[in-house]
Amino acid sequence: MFDQTPRVETRKNTREVFQEVVSSNTPRYVENLDEQNIEYFFPILNYAECRQCHGTEKLTRGVAYYQSFLLDRTFQQISSSRNMLTLFFIATGIAIAMLLILLMQRIIINPLLEIGSVVGTVGSGNLDVQSRVKSKDELGLLSEKINSMITGLKEKSRLEIENSVIETKNSENKKYLDNINEGLLLIRKDGTISDRYSPVHR
């Protein structure tokens, strides 16, 4: 219900947005960024319960007009929120980057440095090292292969030393057998004669 108020001088509103509200019977709003305010145009519809007093000629009985001057504060809040969001995303990005760097250092860089150090030590001739990378990825598999290679090199070195000792003993025995004036032969534990014997002198 509305109380009757004194009528004011009739003025025709020629604004396009006003005419759109009257013709479409739908609300409209206008943002004035320069003046930092918002204007609302809201149609007052002629509902069935209103038609007894206002007639049935038109669906829209009038247009309510509102203007908000709090846009400046809203803009400040939006700007502040935008700045806070920007700082939040920057801080989050830095934290994620640092986490990725730490993970890469732990998962990739440190194992690679460990493997490189072991390979360098082996290359200098020291076989008393082992790679300590125990991960379940490709670097862990590479570490196992390097450890297997070191074990193989140690076994090869041991066999070479044993062969050298055996060859040295054989050479000394041959010199001994070649230079004695007595007949000498070696008998195996099973009683058979070995192929090592002194030359026959006549």
Side-chain angles (χ1 to χ4, degrees), residues 87-121:
L87 290 175
F88 171 76
F89 285 124
I90 290 175
T92 304
I94 292 174
I96 292 174
M98 293 294 293
L99 181 61
L100 288 176
I101 290 172
L102 291 175
L103 287 175
M104 293 225 8
Q105 183 174 5
R106 180 177 178 182
I107 296 173
I108 298 176
I109 297 175
N110 288 343
L112 282 176
L113 292 176
E114 168 71 15
I115 292 172
S117 175
V118 170
V119 171
T121 303

Side-chain angles (χ1 to χ4, degrees), residues 1 3 5 39 44 59-61 69 73-74 80 86 110 114 117 119 137 163 174 182 195:
M1 300 295 294
D3 295 330
T5 57
E39 294 178 301
I44 301 174
L59 180 59
T60 301
R61 294 189 288 113
F69 292 97
R73 182 183 304 171
T74 304
S80 176
T86 301
N110 288 343
E114 168 71 15
S117 175
V119 171
D137 55 8
N163 288 336
K174 188 174 184 306
E182 302 293 336
D195 55 354

Side-chain angles (χ1 to χ4, degrees), residues 18-19 22-23 25 44-48 50-62:
F18 179 84
Q19 300 301 329
V22 172
S23 61
N25 300 317
I44 301 174
L45 300 181
N46 191 15
Y47 294 107
C50 304
R51 292 172 187 170
Q52 184 176 357
C53 298
H54 298 279
T56 60
E57 296 179 2
K58 294 184 179 181
L59 180 59
T60 301
R61 294 189 288 113

Side-chain angles (χ1 to χ4, degrees), residues 125-191:
N126 183 2
L127 300 178
D128 296 325
V129 291
Q130 288 283 309
S131 175
R132 295 172 295 179
V133 178
K134 302 298 181 183
S135 59
K136 302 297 182 182
D137 55 8
E138 290 80 2
L139 292 175
L141 181 60
L142 177 61
S143 175
E144 291 178 2
K145 290 184 179 295
I146 289 175
N147 288 337
S148 297
M149 179 194 71
I150 294 172
T151 302
L153 289 174
K154 291 174 73 172
E155 181 65 19
K156 180 182 177 184
S157 177
R158 184 185 66 81
L159 292 175
E160 287 177 350
I161 292 173
E162 289 183 357
N163 288 336
S164 177
V165 171
I166 292 172
E167 288 176 1
T168 301
K169 288 182 178 181
N170 287 339
S171 177
E172 291 177 354
N173 290 337
K174 188 174 184 306
K175 288 180 181 179
Y176 178 73
L177 292 173
D178 289 343
N179 293 302
I180 62 173
N181 293 323
E182 302 293 336
L184 182 65
L185 52 85
L186 300 176
I187 299 175
R188 300 187 183 97
K189 290 182 178 181
D190 60 0

